């Protein structure tokens, strides 16, 4: 007789809920959030056309009392999609310890900044930098170095040095048959002059290779190509020394005699009022 056994309980396995809709929803949320952040970043920091950078930065420097007016000019290498929002212009002395900065419209191609002038007998070295600004970001900055010489002079009975070197001048009164009154003071013309740095020593090399030849095409304005610098200015400079006598007369000194450039400056100087 078969043994009775209680009926076994049937276990029915319930199907597991599918999780992929939740994963897809999570990925969609992440994608939307990422797109929103990307759009926000683009609005806050739009991409800058890398070609929209300043080029051919040049400085034209003039004395203004105890200051120097540095007129900076530039062009854009390629405006690309349009003009930059603005241009950042910086002018400084030395390594940047004394600098001035302006921000001008993107359509502007020049600006003038004022910095302190060197003392008499000093040469100041400086730089001018320009960078395009778009979306609050600076494009690559372009800089050009410059120099400005403010000479001084002292009386001497020795022959005057070469006037093409921008060093302190020793002014020797020109000889005269009659004794002249004492000298009240020495006047240097021009009182100050921009001179470009001799990058790579090209002008010095030209002078060594061409002894006795003048570098000048037009004194203090244009020289041989090896002696022209990054701002289109000569890398050498010529100064002339004149003397104001105690009786009010004005005379040339020995280092300015028989120099056509100095003769022209002297004729202008004798017509000016004494200050």
């Amino acid at each position: 007789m078969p043994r009775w056994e209680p009926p076994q309980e049937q276990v029915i396995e319930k199907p597991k809920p599918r999780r992929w809709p939740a994963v897809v929803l999570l990925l969609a949320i992440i994608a939307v959030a990422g797109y929103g952040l990307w759009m926000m970043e683009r609005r806050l920091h739009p991409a800058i056309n890398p070609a929209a950078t300043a080029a051919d930065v040049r400085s034209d420097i003039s004395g203004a009392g105890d200051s120097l007016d540095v007129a900076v000019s530039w062009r854009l290498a390629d405006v690309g999609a349009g003009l930059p929002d603005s241009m950042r212009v910086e002018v400084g002395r030395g390594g940047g310890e004394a600098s001035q900065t302006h921000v001008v419209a993107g359509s502007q191609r020049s600006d003038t900044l004022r910095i302190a002038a060197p003392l008499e007998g000093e040469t100041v070295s400086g730089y001018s930098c320009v960078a395009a600004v778009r979306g609050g970001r600076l494009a690559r900055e372009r800089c050009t170095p410059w120099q400005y010489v403010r000479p001084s002079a002292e009386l001497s009975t020795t022959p005057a040095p070469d006037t093409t070197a921008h060093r302190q001048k020793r002014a020797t009164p020109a000889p005269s048959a009659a004794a002249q009154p004492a000298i009240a003071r020495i006047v240097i013309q021009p009182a100050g002059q921009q001179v470009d740095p001799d990058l790579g020593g090209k002008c010095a090399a030209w002078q060594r290779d061409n002894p006795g030849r003048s570098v000048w095409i037009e004194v203090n304005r244009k020289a041989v190509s090896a002696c022209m610098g990054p701002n289109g200015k000569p890398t050498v400079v010529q100064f002339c020394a004149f003397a104001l006598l105690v009786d009010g007369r004005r005379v040339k000194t020995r280092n300015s005699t028989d120099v056509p450039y100095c003769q022209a400056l002297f004729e202008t100087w004798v017509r000016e009022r004494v200050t």
Side-chain angles (χ1 to χ4, degrees):
M1 183 174 182
R3 183 178 178 182
W4 182 85
E5 293 181 0
Q8 295 183 354
E9 184 178 354
Q10 294 184 347
V11 178
I12 301 176
E13 186 176 349
K14 296 182 179 179
K16 296 180 179 180
R18 288 183 288 182
R19 296 181 179 178
W20 64 266
V23 174
V24 171
L25 179 61
L26 180 61
L27 292 175
I29 293 173
I30 293 174
V32 171
Y35 179 76
L37 290 174
W38 178 72
M39 289 297 294
M40 185 179 298
E41 178 70 15
R42 283 197 61 185
R43 291 186 178 182
L44 292 176
H45 305 292
I48 299 176
N49 181 358
T53 57
D56 297 335
V57 176
R58 291 192 172 193
S59 301
D60 191 359
I61 306 172
S62 57
D66 293 332
S67 302
L68 295 178
D69 283 341
V70 185
V72 186
S73 61
W74 64 89
R75 68 176 181 85
L76 285 183
D78 186 359
V79 294
L83 293 174
D85 299 334
S86 56
M87 304 296 294
R88 182 183 183 274
V89 185
E90 180 180 347
V91 168
R93 296 178 49 162
E97 62 274 8
S99 63
Q100 296 290 332
T101 302
H102 281 180
V103 176
V104 299
S107 59
Q108 205 161 315
R109 293 294 176 270
S110 64
D111 189 30
T112 299
L113 294 86
R114 178 166 289 188
I115 60 174
L119 300 176
E120 287 189 3
E122 290 185 348
T123 296
V124 61
S125 297
Y127 62 88
S128 297
C129 297
V130 182
V133 182
R134 182 171 295 173
R137 289 184 174 181
L138 285 175
R140 181 177 296 179
E141 192 174 50
R142 300 295 184 186
C143 300
T144 303
W146 49 259
Q147 294 182 113
Y148 191 86
V149 181
R150 192 175 177 188
S152 64
E154 59 185 35
L155 287 174
S156 172
T157 58
T158 60
D162 181 5
T163 56
T164 61
H166 48 275
R167 300 189 182 97
Q168 179 169 292
K169 301 302 171 192
R170 292 182 177 272
T172 305
S176 174
Q180 292 181 347
I183 294 176
R185 64 186 176 94
I186 295 295
V187 176
I188 301 294
Q189 294 287 329
Q193 184 76 29
Q194 179 180 355
V195 54
D196 270 355
D198 185 14
L199 301 179
K202 294 186 297 182
C203 185
W206 187 93
Q207 290 176 302
R208 287 194 301 268
D209 295 339
N210 296 271
R213 290 182 60 188
S214 173
V215 302
W216 298 114
I217 296 173
E218 184 181 356
V219 177
N220 285 354
R221 292 185 178 273
K222 189 175 183 180
V224 296
S225 59
C227 294
M228 295 297 288
N231 295 290
K233 305 291 183 181
T235 59
V236 291
V237 62
Q238 181 166 315
F239 293 103
C240 304
F242 308 133
L244 177 65
L245 306 182
V246 292
D247 64 0
R249 285 185 296 157
R250 305 181 185 196
V251 297
K252 287 181 288 184
T253 60
R254 185 171 298 166
N255 77 326
S256 301
T257 303
D258 299 327
V259 180
Y261 173 74
C262 293
Q263 178 62 33
L265 287 183
F266 180 74
E267 291 173 0
T268 300
W269 178 60
V270 296
R271 293 193 296 267
E272 295 176 351
R273 291 183 60 187
V274 178
T275 57

